[in-house]
Amino acid sequence: MLDWDSLRYFLEVARTQRVSAAARKLGVEHTTVSRRIRALETELDTLLFEKSRSAGFVLTDDGQRLFVHAEQMESTVHTARENLSGIGQALSGHLRIGATEGFGSYVLTPLAADFQRRYPHITLDILPVPRFVSLSKREADLAITIERPQRGPYVCSKLCDYTLRLYGTPGYLARHAPIHERADLADHTFIGYVDELLFSERLRYLEDLLPASKVVLRSTSVVAQYHAALQGQSLAILPCFIAAQDPRLKPVLENEIAITRSFWMYCHEDLRKLKRVTVLWEFIRKSVLKNADLLAGKRGTMKYLP
């Protein structure tokens, strides 16, 4: 019979692709991880990983097949532990949430602090990153992103719409040519994304909105773009949930330029059954709904559930 403990080691190496990284997560020496993987391969009489200098430990075809079964076993163990532990312990444990950088920093983090105050026995990791978080590698338990996943064993729902507008500082607007209509923007400079490093085509709104715009500063980070806009040298298209909270920025052509995008929330279908995941999912959904005006740029402050 397969030893579940050995499969835990296997899963961590498969997800991190590094023995050393897996050892850190498991709290053991890297030699212990290597020994467990070799023993598992001997027991199954197959090679589970191919070793590469650049990519690390990459799953073989047999490794991929085992990975599917091991993940199912892991989810079953989590569910069984929760069902047997009772409601008190079910609302404890650890969860990791991955989100886009701006939303994760300016909306999710304040909400996570409020959630942790209400459920002090649930610890949270917040990952606000300018890329997609991989649930298949278990980088996170729950993800909030700007694109709906096209495939995978996930439970997914639309979280909300949000609005982006063109912003500049009052100082910039006072020093430069007045802007009365979109054609006036030809005389202005902009901050935007590095086109070839976009992690989603949904971020290509500056090019779509103003094809001939003069972009003088680019960054892969929307938070960096926000701080660049605060320097008062150029204009930037920013999410309202960031810029509307800062009185140092003013919307430009507010009634004419408004871009709508959506956030999607999803997690692995087996994890969705866990009580602590259900509680967090509903808390985020209700909290974001309460902040619909902030996301639309109609208000500049966060609201919290009673």
Side-chain angles (χ1 to χ4, degrees):
M1 293 182 63
L2 282 175
D3 176 16
W4 164 242
D5 207 37
S6 295
L7 290 177
R8 287 176 52 239
Y9 287 79
F10 165 76
L11 283 170
E12 288 301 337
V13 175
R15 288 165 180 161
T16 62
Q17 296 183 289
R18 296 289 188 276
V19 166
S20 56
R24 284 193 298 271
K25 292 191 70 174
L26 291 164
V28 299
E29 295 293 328
H30 73 278
T31 52
T32 302
V33 178
S34 297
R35 186 172 64 253
R36 287 295 192 110
I37 295 301
R38 287 196 301 270
L40 185 60
E41 289 180 327
T42 300
E43 181 181 358
L44 295 173
D45 192 25
T46 189
L47 187 67
L48 298 174
F49 295 98
E50 292 177 345
K51 301 175 185 63
S52 162
R53 286 190 175 182
S54 58
F57 282 65
V58 180
L59 287 170
T60 62
D61 290 342
D62 282 345
Q64 290 281 2
R65 284 189 283 271
L66 180 61
F67 184 78
V68 173
H69 294 296
E71 276 208 314
Q72 291 172 348
M73 292 172 67
E74 181 184 52
S75 297
T76 301
V77 168
H78 287 322
T79 303
R81 181 184 296 122
E82 185 172 278
N83 288 340
L84 295 171
S85 65
I87 189 66
Q89 290 188 23
L91 291 179
S92 64
H94 181 75
L95 291 171
R96 176 173 287 180
I97 315 169
T100 56
E101 185 189 26
F103 185 84
S105 299
Y106 288 86
V107 178
L108 183 60
T109 296
L111 293 181
D114 186 38
F115 176 86
Q116 214 281 319
R117 177 179 61 82
R118 297 164 189 263
Y119 302 97
H121 298 297
I122 299 177
T123 58
L124 297 174
D125 287 349
I126 308 297
L127 277 63
V129 290
R131 61 176 177 85
F132 291 121
V133 171
S134 174
L135 295 193
S136 63
K137 293 183 178 180
R138 292 296 169 98
E139 290 183 337
D141 302 304
L142 188 151
I144 299 172
T145 187
I146 56 178
E147 289 186 13
R148 180 172 188 160
Q150 297 301 307
R151 58 186 177 274
Y154 305 126
V155 176
C156 177
S157 71
K158 183 177 177 179
L159 181 59
C160 63
D161 289 330
Y162 69 100
T163 303
L164 304 101
R165 297 187 188 278
L166 183 63
Y167 287 92
T169 63
Y172 173 90
L173 296 172
R175 293 193 313 271
H176 292 80
I179 304 171
H180 300 297
E181 58 185 22
R182 193 174 300 195
D184 295 333
L185 294 173
D187 298 325
H188 295 264
T189 59
F190 296 85
I191 300 159
Y193 281 100
V194 181
D195 291 341
E196 61 270 28
L197 297 178
L198 287 174
F199 69 89
S200 170
E201 289 299 309
R202 301 292 289 165
L203 299 175
R204 206 178 290 280
Y205 32 72
L206 181 59
E207 181 180 303
D208 294 342
L209 186 69
L210 304 164
S213 58
K214 183 181 178 182
V215 182
V216 295
L217 192 154
R218 302 177 190 272
S219 175
T220 57
S221 163
V222 69
V223 175
Q225 293 175 39
Y226 158 65
H227 284 288
L230 287 175
Q231 306 313 304
Q233 301 300 313
S234 299
L235 303 173
I237 293 178
L238 297 168
C240 294
F241 58 76
I242 296 179
Q245 295 193 69
D246 195 327
R248 295 173 294 177
L249 291 172
K250 300 297 180 185
V252 178
L253 298 178
E254 187 173 7
N255 296 325
E256 186 175 350
I257 296 179
I259 302 163
T260 301
R261 292 290 188 265
S262 301
F263 284 122
W264 299 85
M265 183 163 62
Y266 64 104
C267 69
H268 196 283
E269 59 187 9
D270 290 331
L271 289 182
R272 186 66 176 86
K273 302 170 187 175
L274 297 179
K275 182 64 177 178
R276 62 182 180 274
V277 173
T278 299
V279 169
L280 177 60
W281 182 288
E282 287 302 308
F283 176 84
I284 293 174
R285 185 186 64 80
K286 291 177 181 177
S287 296
V288 168
L289 181 62
K290 192 173 185 67
N291 284 284
D293 285 348
L294 173 64
L295 291 159
K298 298 176 182 178
R299 190 182 74 252
T301 56
M302 288 277 294
K303 288 184 177 180
Y304 297 93
L305 297 176

